[in-house]
Amino acid sequence: MKVGFVQLNIKFGDKERNVKEALKLMRNVDAGLLVLPELFNTGYTLTSKEEALKLAEEIPHGKTTKELIDYSIEKGMYIVAGLIEREEGKIFNSAVVTGPEGYIGKYRKSHLFYYEKKWFEPGDTGFQIFHLKNLKVKVGVIICFDWIFPEASRSLALKGAEIICHPANLVLPYAQKAMLTRAIENKVFIITSNRVGREKRGIFDFKFTGMSQVTSPRMKVLVRASQEREEVRTVDINVEEARNKKITEMNDLLKDRRPELYLDLTKRET
Ligand code: ACM
């Protein structure tokens, strides 16, 4: 199975251009599953809630989701892509999952980063599994800063995710390295799709770190993009690797857990 990412530079607010550019880059790519960055159609650096509302779309009835559905059907490909979602005046930092069967589902970012807390509602979808039927694979989605909470990836692994799709707009220098640990501690593949470029808007000046990557359950970076160029990269994976949770013949990553010792993890107080 071929999976990969679309590493983009994005023109803030120009949804028509950004969607066109992403689909153009994907045109001659042979892959079963491609992951696009967080907020791939709008850009990241919002300066007000009003601006976010103007750029937001409904899922699945908004224009961008429809374009992704059409493209997925035409190419027989699964796509995971981030966009601003509007639902009755509330807005979420969401990702949509589309495939040859059409709309599959959405995930709303659980852990909001920095000023995102001013624009978005915290996600309420929880950590869900999406069955990609044609590929016979189970995927989960986290968005960017969700990576720093190991509970997010762990929840997905416990529910059976074999691949974690990770649309991102990374500005801190940690995640690409940290995902190696997320991959081995859950024995899953992780596709991190980051963006490149810089956005100076309002009080913000964000430089995005690129280096999108596919990480294996054995902690290998199978493919990694540059820090500054738009790139589509794919790699062949054997999903069986993510189904075997054995670390040694006497250790199973999930069965050896001691949940009775982890009760503090579900309490809010620290
Ligand atoms: C981020 O969560 N976009 C850093």
Side-chain angles (χ1 to χ4, degrees), residues 38 44 109 113 116 144-145 169 171:
E38 178 184 19
Y44 180 75
K109 187 175 186 176
F113 178 72
E116 286 176 35
C144 206
F145 192 55
N169 273 195
V171 293

